[in-house]
Amino acid sequence: MSEFELRAITPGETYELRRALLRPHQRVHEMTWAGDDAPDTLHIGGFREDRLVGIGTAHRQPMPGLSEPQAWRIRGVAVDHGHRGYGLGEMLLRRLLEHAAASGGRLVWANATAASYGFFEHYGFARRGDPFELPEVGPHYVVYAGL
Ligand SMILES: CC(C)(COP(=O)(O)OP(=O)(O)OC[C@H]1O[C@@H](n2cnc3c(N)ncnc32)[C@H](O)[C@@H]1OP(=O)(O)O)[C@@H](O)C(=O)NCCC(=O)NCCS
């Protein structure tokens, strides 16, 4: 049995890890993202011994440059440093993909950091276009996959 447990969490519960792991230059109150409060958005938390150590979000959003109406964005997937490499990232991503598919999604996409696109590629995502720079976050690729 996995040592991690997945549970749906509120947008607010993602903020601390979003800031610590993805946006260290921003403040906690800036961690609210578009789509966070949509009724069909899923925020998933990965818990180890009841402590939140991983997060991820899936919400409806068209992929830039594509007209597929049933597109879902995977956002803010992150695992706390000491807990990486034990399968939680995969558990979070799979649950988010399941949610998007069960909600009628046909396509999933993400803005992946240069350090993490390999993670998405591992699960069948492809890169699209040239890398682009997010101010103070660094280079990103758009990655996408069919559902
Ligand atoms: C990317 C991240 C979520 C992976 O979490 P994790 O819990 O370490 O991932 P897992 O242990 O479930 O790894 C699953 C598989 O992906 C692979 N993988 C993980 N990170 C990878 C990377 N950066 N590049 C290539 N492969 C990677 C692992 O080798 C593993 O493969 P295996 O099953 O064949 O051994 C984590 O490293 C992280 O939080 N990174 C910083 C935040 C980030 O950049 N998030 C992405 C936002 S766009």
Side-chain angles (χ1 to χ4, degrees), residues 75-92:
R75 204 167 180 196
V77 177
V79 172
D80 208 355
H81 293 285
H83 303 274
R84 290 182 190 169
Y86 299 104
L88 180 55
E90 170 168 346
M91 288 172 69
L92 293 165

